[in-house]
């Protein structure tokens, strides 16, 4: 990995960590029904990201729309909608550590296998460090007193959905990177993906909450600030992520750092700024995750 690429990945992780941090603050300060927090965020974040990508695309006219972009964008928007739904449902009926472990493992493993099709797969030793990172995700996420077997059947189904759909999202972005070799259309794909995602979540919100869904968008001053900051982090992160993929960066390394690194820094930020107490197991997970990330950079890359 080149030094500039390493710095850009650190920037990407920092932005995604900011997204996670501001999202926590937003959910704590949202003044409405807690059940509306996620659909409201998904709608606003989707449209803000689509508008940001549109603004960014204006600097690289003309636009490059074709059926492949539209199909990939719609597919990714459906994946995002299912992913968000499964995330909420899994959090309602099972342990957070298992949920995060399977979700992030899917985001690492599925794109890692698919990346071999584009000549960007890991070296054999890299899989050892991937295994260390996957185990570390569980250790970092483990809550005190949380049982591995406390989830019911529905919980494991939703976790499997998270595993698959988080991986598919990365896989489509990786395919976009190969497609970008001939067509410069990353901004158009982001516009289509997040614009459609916003529309899908808005329709689902109206179906589930009916007329009161419109009043769910009412915010306090602080919740609106954190909602906007989180949405801006989302838009800038996905634009940077697409740019890195478009420039030929090893997608396995990129998605490994993106998934594991964000969790690592989010936990550290929560401990420092939100005063969340970490167990000895959490600290061991942080240390082993750092070791795994360092190892995959120096000895695991393609």
């Amino acid at each position: 990995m080149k030094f500039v690429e390493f710095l850009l990945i650190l920037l990407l992780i920092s932005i995604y960590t900011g997204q996670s941090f501001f999202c926590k603050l937003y959910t704590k300060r949202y003044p409405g029904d807690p059940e509306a927090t996620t659909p409201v965020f998904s709608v606003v974040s989707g449209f803000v990201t689509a508008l940001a990508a549109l603004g960014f695309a204006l600097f690289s006219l003309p636009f490059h729309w074709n059926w492949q972009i539209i199909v990939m964008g719609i597919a990714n928007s459906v994946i995002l909608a299912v992913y968000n739904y499964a995330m909420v449902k899994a959090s309602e009926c099972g342990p957070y550590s298992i949920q995060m472990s399977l979700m992030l493992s899917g985001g690492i493993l599925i794109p890692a296998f698919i990346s071999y099709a584009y000549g960007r797969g890991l070296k054999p030793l890299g899989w050892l460090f991937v295994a260390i990172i996957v185990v570390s995700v569980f250790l970092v996420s483990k809550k005190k007193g949380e049982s591995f077997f406390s989830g019911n059947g529905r919980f494991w189904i939703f976790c499997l959905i998270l595993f698959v759909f988080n991986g598919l999202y990365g896989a489509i972005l990786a395919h976009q990177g190969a497609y970008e070799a001939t067509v410069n259309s990353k901004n158009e794909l982001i516009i289509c993906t997040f614009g459609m995602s916003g529309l899908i979540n808005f329709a689902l919100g109206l179906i589930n909450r009916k007329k009161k869904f419109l009043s769910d968008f009412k915010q306090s001053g602080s919740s609106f600030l954190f909602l906007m900051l989180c949405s801006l982090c989302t838009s800038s992160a996905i634009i940077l992520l697409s740019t890195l993929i478009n420039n030929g960066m090893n997608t396995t390394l990129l998605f490994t750092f993106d998934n594991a690194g964000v969790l690592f820094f989010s936990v550290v930020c929560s401990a420092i700024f939100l005063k969340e107490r970490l167990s000895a197991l959490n600290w061991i997970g942080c240390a082993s995750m750092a070791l795994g990330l360092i190892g995959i950079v120096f000895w695991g890359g393609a």
Side-chain angles (χ1 to χ4, degrees):
M1 182 185 296
K2 299 176 182 177
F3 182 68
V4 174
E5 291 179 339
F6 180 73
L7 290 179
L8 289 174
I9 288 180
L10 283 181
L11 175 60
L12 179 68
I13 291 173
S14 299
I15 295 172
Y16 270 126
T17 302
Q19 176 197 30
S20 176
F21 183 68
F22 291 132
C23 186
K24 280 189 175 184
L25 295 175
Y26 161 68
T27 55
K28 285 186 175 183
R29 288 167 172 77
Y30 176 68
D33 186 341
E35 291 186 1
T37 307
T38 298
V40 167
F41 169 77
S42 298
V43 171
V44 173
S45 179
F47 288 141
V48 168
T49 302
L51 288 173
L54 175 61
F56 196 72
L58 293 176
F59 292 99
S60 56
L61 292 173
F63 290 107
H64 300 278
W65 289 102
N66 58 44
W67 69 268
Q68 288 178 285
I69 296 169
I70 295 173
V71 168
M72 284 193 291
I74 293 174
N76 246 357
S77 65
V78 172
I79 287 171
L80 280 173
V82 174
Y83 169 86
N84 288 333
Y85 178 79
M87 175 71 79
V88 173
K89 292 301 179 182
S91 65
E92 293 174 351
C93 54
Y96 176 76
S97 55
I98 304 300
Q99 175 184 339
M100 290 300 295
S101 298
L102 288 174
M103 180 192 76
L104 295 181
S105 296
I108 294 170
L109 295 175
I110 292 178
F113 282 113
I114 292 177
S115 66
Y116 283 105
Y118 306 113
R120 300 174 183 174
L122 287 175
K123 295 176 181 177
L125 185 59
W127 289 103
L128 171 63
F129 295 109
V130 167
I132 292 173
I133 291 169
V134 169
V135 173
S136 299
V137 168
F138 173 78
L139 296 177
V140 169
S141 307
K142 184 76 167 64
K143 302 291 185 182
K144 190 174 182 179
E146 191 177 66
S147 171
F148 181 87
F149 300 101
S150 61
N152 56 28
R154 291 179 67 250
F155 169 73
W156 288 99
I157 291 173
F158 286 125
C159 283
L160 179 61
I161 292 172
L162 286 174
F163 178 92
V164 172
F165 278 73
N166 195 30
L168 287 176
Y169 180 74
I172 289 180
L173 289 177
H175 174 72
Q176 173 221 336
Y179 180 66
E180 287 292 327
T182 56
V183 180
N184 180 25
S185 58
K186 62 180 180 295
N187 296 311
E188 289 81 353
L189 182 60
I190 295 171
I191 294 168
C192 187
T193 296
F194 284 88
M196 284 297 300
S197 177
L199 287 173
I200 290 172
N201 282 287
F202 186 76
L204 290 175
L206 287 176
I207 292 171
N208 292 327
R209 297 185 58 79
K210 299 180 173 56
K211 292 182 179 179
K212 61 183 178 180
F213 185 55
L214 296 178
S215 62
D216 289 333
F217 286 89
K218 185 177 180 180
Q219 304 287 329
S220 66
S222 59
S223 69
F224 178 76
L225 172 64
F226 292 127
L227 176 59
M228 287 297 102
L229 288 173
C230 186
S231 298
L232 290 173
C233 284
T234 301
S235 58
S236 55
I238 189 61
I239 290 172
L240 176 57
L241 177 63
S242 293
T243 301
L244 291 174
I245 294 172
N246 184 35
N247 289 337
M249 182 174 289
N250 186 310
T251 52
T252 302
L253 292 178
L254 182 56
F255 287 125
T256 300
F257 267 87
D258 183 29
N259 284 277
V262 172
L263 175 62
F264 175 84
F265 283 104
S266 295
V267 168
V268 172
C269 285
S270 294
I272 294 174
F273 297 108
L274 300 181
K275 308 301 180 184
E276 294 186 1
R277 299 184 65 178
L278 302 181
S279 67
L281 206 61
N282 297 147
W283 286 115
I284 292 172
C286 287
S288 60
M289 185 181 292
L291 175 65
L293 290 172
I294 292 171
I296 204 171
V297 169
F298 290 102
W299 299 291

